[in-house]
């Protein structure tokens, strides 16, 4: 990977904060609490002398102690709960600890462990994780928002209605866990100030029978609200965000595909809105594909793409690849569309299929193309499509674990020299193929990337093949930070493509074709910093930025704005922050 800036020199200069909280109030504020790291002078000033043991610890010592405690929890879900409690106690310690062990701890607080925490949410509940806006309380939505934000400026709102959480479906109020985890990643990897971000759960009910029948379910025990009532509720929410936080980024996560697409189209010209499953996944997959075709020395328009799973992610990926093909390879949109075969649970999306979603119509295959197909009239499944189309790229975002069988993978490998295979479904148990198997079945020829972290596979020459983590977290924090930094009025497709290109340019495979297609997740903060700079520069260039900077200033401004988990120096001031 090309050299990246050392982020340690991005630490803010020693900061002095005037704080109005004393005693228990400062010890129980995760924003201000330093625990045993309060200095002797601060202990006197904030009424803490008798409330803490004698010794003053450094942040390094606190991180060491916390890491040791974490190791005593034997499984991932317990570690997740422990870290959740730490977040409730002390933000600097929480973010600093995870930053020091990024590759090890991101899978604990995010994908895949967060899926388990979300599905057990009502049983694990300890305390509030953000703002819960419930349909039945919609008349007081504005009061609830203002009560929660207490006059704070907000840079970022991450919301979910939890209809399609990762690959585990409708999770009702547990969906706050994804809003919260995505917000944490924004801070950890993107540099967003946690005090200026808000996770939101839009509780419009759930159709998950198990939750509805669970006496301990803590959400609104009601079937999902649909239609005009749903649209009005969402509109009420979006208009409040626009009114009170006009410069914020509004991030949508894990909505059902129909609402995801509709909400994005409805608001994308009014406010800076972003759908992670559609746009974030599209962007990271574009970057990963660009890296892979760099290895095969082909162009985007030379590929035949089979996308298995035509929901938010599948559609977002197809559109992003298509748009990039049009802009880089100079082909018409129609020709670019013809390079895609999308499959959902009813088989190949083609003309004679009933009820094809409006947003998929441009990717519908003609019946003419399949007229000689033996199973005509029936669903056309993945294996048949692979045999017939001979794809060069096979992408999975279906939630159908194990769908890329040995037969499918080998059929693909017969049709091309270096099959590009990205099984992206999360969490790990839903991956379409274990990358180790795909590697073995293709004798190390497949170029692979997955949505969740997987261990390296062995190449026939005995070398490790590092599996790229093609998860939107490698790009969305940078896309978002770039938009917030430049105070963009909207997040345009060209800003997203600029971010994806920057990520692709950082691929280790550019220098070594046997290396991972994407940068290591351990480098995610530096990578996302680069993405953010590219996005903000593009926003300035195309005139959607609110700031009046020159493009050359962006990098320095980004360094100044980035939030880092370090303790500032506190002075007591009754009119200070709380
Ligand atoms: N790696 C990433 O960054 C990333 C990003 C977004 C989504 N995802 C993953 O992709 C998966 C889908 O997410 P989504 O948001 O698009 O969900 P979604 O519910 O919008 O879409 C799922 C799609 O899969 C299809 N499908 C379901 N079962 C199928 C089957 N047996 N055969 C073929 N198709 C089937 C559905 O018809 C639908 O088109 C999830 O597992 C999610 O975790 C990964
Ligand atoms: O949450 C993730 O890990 C990625 C993605 O947004 C998903 O829905 O799977
Ligand atoms: Mg998601």
């Amino acid at each position: 990977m090309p050299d990246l800036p050392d982020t340690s020199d991005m630490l803010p200069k020693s900061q002095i904060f005037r704080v109005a909280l004393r005693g228990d109030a400062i010890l129980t504020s995760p924003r201000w609490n330093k625990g045993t790291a309060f200095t002797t002078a601060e202990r006197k000033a904030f009424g803490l002398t008798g409330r803490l043991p004698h010794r003053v610890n450094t942040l390094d010592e606190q991180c060491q102690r916390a890491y040791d405690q974490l190791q005593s929890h034997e499984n991932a879900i317990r570690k997740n709960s422990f870290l959740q409690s730490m977040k409730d106690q002390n933000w600097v310690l929480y973010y600093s600890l995870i930053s020091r062990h990024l590759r090890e701890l991101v899978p604990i607080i995010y994908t895949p462990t967060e899926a388990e925490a979300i599905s057990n949410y009502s049983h694990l509940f300890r305390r509030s994780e953000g703002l819960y806006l419930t349909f039945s309380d919609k008349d007081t939505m504005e009061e609830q928002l203002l009560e929660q934000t207490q006059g704070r400026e907000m840079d970022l709102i991450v919301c979910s209605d939890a209809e399609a959480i990762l690959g585990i479906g409708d999770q009702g109020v547990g969906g706050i866990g994804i809003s919260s985890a995505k917000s944490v990643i924004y801070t950890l990897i993107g540099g967003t100030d946690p005090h200026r971000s808000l996770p939101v759960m839009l509780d419009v009910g759930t159709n998950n029978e198990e939750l509805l029948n669970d006496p301990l379910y803590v959400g609104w025990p009601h079937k999902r609200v649909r239609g005009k009532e749903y649209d009005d509720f969402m509109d009420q929410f979006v208009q409040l965000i626009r009114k009170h936080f006009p410069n914020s980024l509004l991030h949508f996560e894990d909505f059902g595909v129909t609402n995801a697409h509709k909400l994005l189209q409805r608001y994308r010209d009014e406010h800076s809105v972003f759908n992670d499953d559609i746009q974030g996944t599209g962007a990271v997959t574009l970057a990963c594909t660009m890296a892979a075709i760099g290895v095969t020395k082909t162009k985007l328009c030379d590929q035949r793409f089979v996308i298995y799973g035509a929901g938010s992610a599948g559609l977002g990926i197809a559109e992003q690849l298509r748009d990039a093909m049009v802009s880089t390879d100079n082909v018409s949109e129609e020709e670019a569309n013809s390079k895609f075969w999308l499959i959902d649970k009813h088989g190949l999306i083609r003309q004679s299929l009933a009820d094809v979603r409006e947003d998929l119509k441009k990717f519908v295959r003609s019946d003419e193309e399949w007229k000689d197909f033996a199973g005509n009239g029936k669903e056309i499944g993945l294996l048949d499509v692979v045999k017939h189309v001979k794809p060069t790229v096979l992408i999975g975002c279906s939630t159908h674990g194990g769908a890329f069988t040995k037969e499918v993978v080998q059929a693909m490998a017969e049709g091309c020299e270096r099959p590009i295979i990205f099984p992206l479904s999360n969490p790990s148990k839903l991956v379409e193929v274990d990358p180790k198997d795909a590697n073995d079945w293709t004798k190390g020829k497949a170029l692979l990337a997955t949505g969740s972290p997987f261990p390296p596979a062995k190449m026939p020459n005995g070398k490790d093949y590092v599996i790229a983590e093609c998860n939107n977290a490698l790009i969305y924090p940078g896309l978002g930070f770039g938009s917030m930094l430049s105070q963009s009025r909207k997040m345009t497709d060209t800003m997203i493509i600029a971010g994806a290109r920057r990520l692709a340019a950082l691929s280790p495979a550019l220098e070594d074709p046997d290396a991972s297609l994407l940068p290591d997740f351990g480098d995610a903060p530096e990578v996302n910093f680069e993405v953010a700079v590219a996005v903000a520069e593009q926003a300035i260039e195309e005139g959607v930025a609110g700031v009046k900077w020159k493009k050359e200033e962006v990098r320095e401004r980004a360094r100044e704005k980035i939030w880092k988990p370090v303790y500032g120096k506190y002075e007591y001031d009754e009119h200070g922050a709380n």
Side-chain angles (χ1 to χ4, degrees):
M1 185 170 75
D3 282 347
L4 285 170
D6 176 2
T7 47
S8 58
D9 68 350
M10 291 185 201
L11 288 181
K13 296 183 193 78
S14 162
Q15 295 176 33
I16 300 179
F17 296 99
R18 297 185 184 284
V19 184
L21 303 176
R22 281 175 63 83
D24 280 346
I26 193 164
L27 285 179
T28 53
S29 159
R31 180 184 183 199
W32 299 116
N33 184 24
K34 294 185 183 182
T36 54
F38 278 111
T39 63
T40 309
E42 285 169 342
R43 292 174 187 210
K44 283 194 188 130
F46 290 91
L48 299 174
T49 307
R51 285 182 159 93
L52 289 166
H54 169 77
R55 172 99 187 265
V56 175
N57 283 127
T58 61
L59 182 55
D60 284 349
E61 288 167 342
Q62 288 183 315
C63 282
Q64 184 58 54
R65 180 169 57 224
Y67 188 67
D68 290 347
Q69 290 174 5
L70 180 69
Q71 298 312 319
S72 72
H73 296 275
E74 70 276 14
N75 61 38
I77 190 72
R78 285 187 195 276
K79 289 183 182 179
N80 174 290
S81 293
F82 172 82
L83 288 171
Q84 176 66 37
S85 303
M86 184 178 287
K87 177 157 69 106
D88 294 340
Q89 290 164 31
N90 181 336
W91 284 348
V92 169
L93 180 53
Y94 170 80
Y95 286 110
S96 182
L97 174 69
I98 300 172
S99 298
R100 288 161 199 236
H101 305 275
L102 207 60
R103 294 191 80 234
E104 177 188 346
L105 298 186
V106 164
I108 301 288
I109 54 148
Y110 179 65
T111 307
T113 313
E114 188 57 20
E116 199 181 337
I118 291 171
S119 55
N120 288 307
Y121 182 74
S122 291
H123 294 261
L124 297 173
F125 182 83
R126 291 214 182 132
R127 57 170 283 182
S128 165
E129 284 188 63
L131 177 61
Y132 302 75
L133 295 173
T134 306
F135 184 81
S136 56
D137 300 327
K138 62 182 187 315
D139 294 345
T140 55
M141 191 190 282
E142 185 161 19
E143 283 158 57
Q144 295 169 55
L145 178 69
L146 296 179
E147 182 63 38
Q148 173 89 15
T149 50
Q150 294 285 322
R152 272 182 288 156
E153 232 349 277
M154 286 293 148
D155 292 335
L156 171 69
I157 319 284
V158 181
C159 69
S160 181
D161 76 353
E163 189 177 357
I165 295 288
L166 303 136
I168 58 171
D170 185 342
Q171 296 297 324
V173 76
I176 187 74
I178 202 67
S179 300
S180 165
K182 293 276 174 179
S183 303
V184 164
I185 294 288
Y186 264 112
T187 295
L188 203 58
I189 290 175
T192 306
D193 182 347
H195 192 57
R196 294 167 69 99
S197 68
L198 179 66
V200 179
M201 171 63 212
L202 296 156
D203 188 351
V204 290
T206 176
N207 290 351
N208 182 329
E209 288 296 329
E210 218 178 296
L211 297 180
L212 290 172
N213 293 326
D214 181 350
L216 283 185
Y217 178 60
V218 290
W220 186 44
H222 196 283
K223 286 269 180 200
R224 270 186 186 274
V225 172
R226 300 279 190 204
K228 184 169 178 338
E229 282 190 314
Y230 175 92
D231 294 344
D232 289 349
F233 181 75
M234 289 299 157
D235 195 52
Q236 187 184 353
F237 170 66
V238 175
Q239 299 314 334
L240 284 175
I241 298 302
R242 294 186 61 214
K243 174 174 163 194
H244 294 289
F245 310 114
N247 294 325
S248 65
L249 171 71
L250 177 56
H251 172 126
F252 290 98
E253 189 68 44
D254 291 354
F255 283 69
V257 57
T258 309
N259 288 326
H261 193 258
K262 202 164 73 178
L263 288 164
L264 180 61
Q265 295 314 322
R266 179 158 178 198
Y267 297 111
R268 63 177 308 171
D269 291 326
E270 282 186 9
H271 190 84
S272 181
V273 299
F274 173 71
N275 184 296
D276 186 34
D277 300 289
I278 298 176
Q279 297 168 293
T281 314
V284 73
T285 310
L286 169 61
C288 200
T289 307
M290 285 163 81
I293 62 172
V295 174
T296 58
K297 307 219 178 316
T298 52
K299 296 204 273 187
L300 274 178
C301 65
D302 298 332
Q303 315 306 316
R304 291 179 301 281
F305 294 94
V306 168
I307 301 186
Y308 185 67
S312 302
L315 174 69
I317 292 168
E319 288 184 335
Q320 193 73 80
L321 288 164
R322 190 265 324 269
D323 291 349
M325 204 185 291
V326 170
S327 67
T328 33
D329 297 347
N330 218 3
V331 295
S332 69
E333 189 165 317
E334 202 185 351
E335 188 184 343
N337 286 340
S338 74
K339 312 279 178 185
F340 293 87
W341 286 259
L342 270 58
I343 302 174
D344 76 1
K345 53 176 175 266
H346 305 296
L348 179 71
I349 310 278
R350 61 187 171 128
Q351 259 174 343
S352 53
L353 213 62
D355 297 333
V356 173
R357 282 196 333 262
E358 201 49 44
D359 51 66
L360 288 177
K361 293 242 160 94
K362 50 197 170 291
F363 296 113
V364 165
R365 304 305 308 190
S366 71
D367 286 332
E368 173 67 19
E369 179 184 77
W370 294 86
K371 67 178 186 312
D372 299 330
F373 177 70
N376 210 1
K378 301 205 197 95
E379 286 178 8
I380 304 178
L382 175 63
L383 182 61
D384 292 319
V385 174
V386 168
K387 282 184 175 164
H388 189 74
V389 171
K390 299 191 177 24
T392 56
V393 184
L394 173 62
I395 297 174
C397 38
S398 64
T399 74
H400 180 187
F404 298 174
T405 58
K406 187 171 182 179
E407 220 183 340
V408 167
V409 170
Q410 289 187 334
M412 182 170 173
E414 268 169 32
C416 67
E417 180 59 22
R418 300 292 314 262
I420 299 170
I421 305 181
F422 300 161
L424 301 184
S425 284
N426 299 319
S428 331
K429 63 178 182 201
L430 297 182
V431 71
E432 283 81 3
V433 60
D434 186 317
K436 179 187 169 304
D437 291 337
N439 177 71
D440 291 349
W441 297 336
T442 59
K443 302 193 172 57
K445 286 187 176 162
L447 295 163
L448 297 164
T450 50
S452 300
F454 278 88
K458 276 268 175 264
M459 309 269 278
N461 62 10
K463 278 198 340 199
D464 274 352
Y465 179 59
V466 176
I467 309 299
E469 199 176 328
C470 183
N471 186 297
N472 48 32
L474 203 56
I475 200 165
Y476 82 74
L479 295 176
F481 189 61
S483 165
M484 290 178 246
L485 179 72
S486 55
Q487 292 180 13
S488 294
R489 286 184 291 283
K490 51 185 174 175
M491 172 93 84
T492 63
D493 289 338
T494 29
M495 285 160 69
I496 296 173
I497 291 190
R501 281 192 203 291
R502 188 73 189 109
L503 174 57
L506 299 174
S507 164
L510 287 181
E511 283 166 13
D512 171 4
D514 291 339
S516 171
L517 293 175
L518 289 173
D520 187 282
F521 213 84
D523 294 325
E526 293 81 359
V527 166
N528 274 283
F529 181 80
E530 291 300 315
V531 169
V533 170
V535 169
E537 286 175 349
Q538 178 66 28
I540 291 171
E541 186 165 316
E542 62 191 70
V544 295
V547 295
K548 300 275 169 260
W549 309 331
K550 295 197 183 73
K551 270 169 62 177
E552 298 68 40
E553 286 173 69
V554 168
R555 187 168 287 274
E556 199 44 43
R557 301 279 189 168
R559 282 171 182 262
E560 286 162 12
K561 174 97 176 164
I562 218 160
W563 186 90
K564 286 272 173 182
V566 285
Y567 290 129
K569 194 171 159 200
Y570 301 168
E571 286 171 2
Y572 182 74
D573 178 347
E574 62 178 318
H575 303 295
N578 53 38

Tab-separated table of all heavy atoms in Angstrom, residues 7-25:
chain	number	residue	atom	x	y	z
A	7	THR	N	-0.876	8.905	11.739
A	7	THR	CA	-1.949	9.659	12.400
A	7	THR	C	-1.557	10.168	13.774
A	7	THR	O	-2.246	10.997	14.343
A	7	THR	CB	-3.232	8.821	12.555
A	7	THR	OG1	-2.872	7.569	13.056
A	7	THR	CG2	-3.991	8.725	11.275
A	8	SER	N	-0.426	9.646	14.326
A	8	SER	CA	-0.079	10.103	15.674
A	8	SER	C	0.194	11.609	15.675
A	8	SER	O	-0.041	12.288	16.655
A	8	SER	CB	1.114	9.332	16.222
A	8	SER	OG	2.188	9.498	15.334
A	9	ASP	N	0.682	12.130	14.515
A	9	ASP	CA	0.931	13.567	14.502
A	9	ASP	C	-0.357	14.347	14.263
A	9	ASP	O	-0.349	15.552	14.097
A	9	ASP	CB	2.001	13.935	13.466
A	9	ASP	CG	1.516	13.722	12.046
A	9	ASP	OD1	0.437	13.117	11.893
A	9	ASP	OD2	2.207	14.148	11.104
A	10	MET	N	-1.493	13.645	14.223
A	10	MET	CA	-2.760	14.356	14.082
A	10	MET	C	-3.392	14.620	15.452
A	10	MET	O	-4.507	15.107	15.546
A	10	MET	CB	-3.745	13.539	13.257
A	10	MET	CG	-3.348	13.422	11.814
A	10	MET	SD	-4.636	12.572	10.952
A	10	MET	CE	-3.752	12.006	9.518
A	11	LEU	N	-2.710	14.208	16.525
A	11	LEU	CA	-3.285	14.443	17.849
A	11	LEU	C	-3.480	15.936	18.067
A	11	LEU	O	-2.599	16.732	17.733
A	11	LEU	CB	-2.341	13.915	18.935
A	11	LEU	CG	-2.244	12.397	19.051
A	11	LEU	CD1	-1.299	12.016	20.168
A	11	LEU	CD2	-3.608	11.795	19.314
A	12	PRO	N	-4.640	16.308	18.619
A	12	PRO	CA	-4.845	17.728	18.846
A	12	PRO	C	-3.847	18.253	19.862
A	12	PRO	O	-3.388	17.513	20.734
A	12	PRO	CB	-6.263	17.800	19.398
A	12	PRO	CG	-6.619	16.435	19.812
A	12	PRO	CD	-5.746	15.479	19.069
A	13	LYS	N	-3.506	19.515	19.756
A	13	LYS	CA	-2.618	20.105	20.760
A	13	LYS	C	-3.356	20.040	22.094
A	13	LYS	O	-4.571	19.952	22.122
A	13	LYS	CB	-2.329	21.551	20.377
A	13	LYS	CG	-1.579	21.639	19.070
A	13	LYS	CD	-1.227	23.064	18.743
A	13	LYS	CE	-0.783	23.135	17.302
A	13	LYS	NZ	-1.903	23.104	16.360
A	14	SER	N	-2.577	20.103	23.193
A	14	SER	CA	-3.183	19.995	24.521
A	14	SER	C	-4.399	20.925	24.617
A	14	SER	O	-4.311	22.105	24.324
A	14	SER	CB	-2.116	20.371	25.541
A	14	SER	OG	-2.731	20.671	26.740
A	15	GLN	N	-5.529	20.334	24.969
A	15	GLN	CA	-6.756	21.136	24.972
A	15	GLN	C	-7.188	21.435	26.403
A	15	GLN	O	-7.106	20.570	27.252
A	15	GLN	CB	-7.858	20.364	24.285
A	15	GLN	CG	-7.588	20.144	22.833
A	15	GLN	CD	-8.674	19.296	22.213
A	15	GLN	OE1	-9.814	19.371	22.616
A	15	GLN	NE2	-8.312	18.476	21.269
A	16	ILE	N	-7.666	22.634	26.610
A	16	ILE	CA	-8.155	22.989	27.939
A	16	ILE	C	-9.671	23.144	27.851
A	16	ILE	O	-10.182	23.858	26.983
A	16	ILE	CB	-7.510	24.295	28.422
A	16	ILE	CG1	-5.990	24.102	28.488
A	16	ILE	CG2	-8.077	24.709	29.774
A	16	ILE	CD1	-5.212	25.309	28.917
A	17	PHE	N	-10.377	22.447	28.721
A	17	PHE	CA	-11.843	22.505	28.718
A	17	PHE	C	-12.341	23.104	30.028
A	17	PHE	O	-11.832	22.767	31.093
A	17	PHE	CB	-12.434	21.100	28.573
A	17	PHE	CG	-12.109	20.435	27.277
A	17	PHE	CD1	-11.072	19.509	27.200
A	17	PHE	CD2	-12.825	20.732	26.132
A	17	PHE	CE1	-10.759	18.897	26.003
A	17	PHE	CE2	-12.523	20.115	24.922
A	17	PHE	CZ	-11.487	19.197	24.854
A	18	ARG	N	-13.316	23.952	29.924
A	18	ARG	CA	-13.964	24.483	31.122
A	18	ARG	C	-15.229	23.657	31.339
A	18	ARG	O	-16.090	23.599	30.455
A	18	ARG	CB	-14.319	25.959	30.939
A	18	ARG	CG	-13.084	26.779	30.738
A	18	ARG	CD	-13.330	28.259	30.668
A	18	ARG	NE	-12.058	28.912	30.375
A	18	ARG	CZ	-11.091	29.094	31.268
A	18	ARG	NH1	-11.260	28.742	32.528
A	18	ARG	NH2	-9.956	29.657	30.921
A	19	VAL	N	-15.302	23.017	32.497
A	19	VAL	CA	-16.378	22.053	32.733
A	19	VAL	C	-17.151	22.450	33.996
A	19	VAL	O	-16.554	22.853	35.001
A	19	VAL	CB	-15.797	20.618	32.892
A	19	VAL	CG1	-16.909	19.598	33.033
A	19	VAL	CG2	-14.897	20.272	31.717
A	20	ALA	N	-18.483	22.317	33.942
A	20	ALA	CA	-19.326	22.784	35.052
A	20	ALA	C	-19.765	21.652	35.990
A	20	ALA	O	-20.504	21.894	36.930
A	20	ALA	CB	-20.554	23.484	34.473
A	21	LEU	N	-19.339	20.407	35.715
A	21	LEU	CA	-19.802	19.284	36.548
A	21	LEU	C	-18.832	19.020	37.695
A	21	LEU	O	-17.620	19.120	37.520
A	21	LEU	CB	-19.906	18.014	35.688
A	21	LEU	CG	-20.797	18.095	34.456
A	21	LEU	CD1	-20.704	16.798	33.662
A	21	LEU	CD2	-22.249	18.348	34.866
A	22	ARG	N	-19.375	18.627	38.861
A	22	ARG	CA	-18.527	18.292	40.013
A	22	ARG	C	-18.943	16.940	40.593
A	22	ARG	O	-20.041	16.466	40.347
A	22	ARG	CB	-18.721	19.346	41.114
A	22	ARG	CG	-17.976	20.643	40.888
A	22	ARG	CD	-18.343	21.637	41.987
A	22	ARG	NE	-17.938	21.157	43.316
A	22	ARG	CZ	-16.720	21.282	43.816
A	22	ARG	NH1	-15.784	21.889	43.115
A	22	ARG	NH2	-16.420	20.830	45.015
A	23	GLY	N	-18.039	16.375	41.367
A	23	GLY	CA	-18.369	15.167	42.135
A	23	GLY	C	-18.906	14.049	41.248
A	23	GLY	O	-18.391	13.790	40.151
A	24	ASP	N	-19.968	13.401	41.732
A	24	ASP	CA	-20.523	12.265	40.982
A	24	ASP	C	-20.927	12.650	39.571
A	24	ASP	O	-20.873	11.836	38.651
A	24	ASP	CB	-21.768	11.720	41.705
A	24	ASP	CG	-21.357	10.814	42.858
A	24	ASP	OD1	-20.176	10.427	42.900
A	24	ASP	OD2	-22.215	10.538	43.712
A	25	ALA	N	-21.347	13.904	39.409
A	25	ALA	CA	-21.832	14.315	38.082
A	25	ALA	C	-20.737	14.195	37.030
A	25	ALA	O	-20.992	13.751	35.904
A	25	ALA	CB	-22.364	15.747	38.143
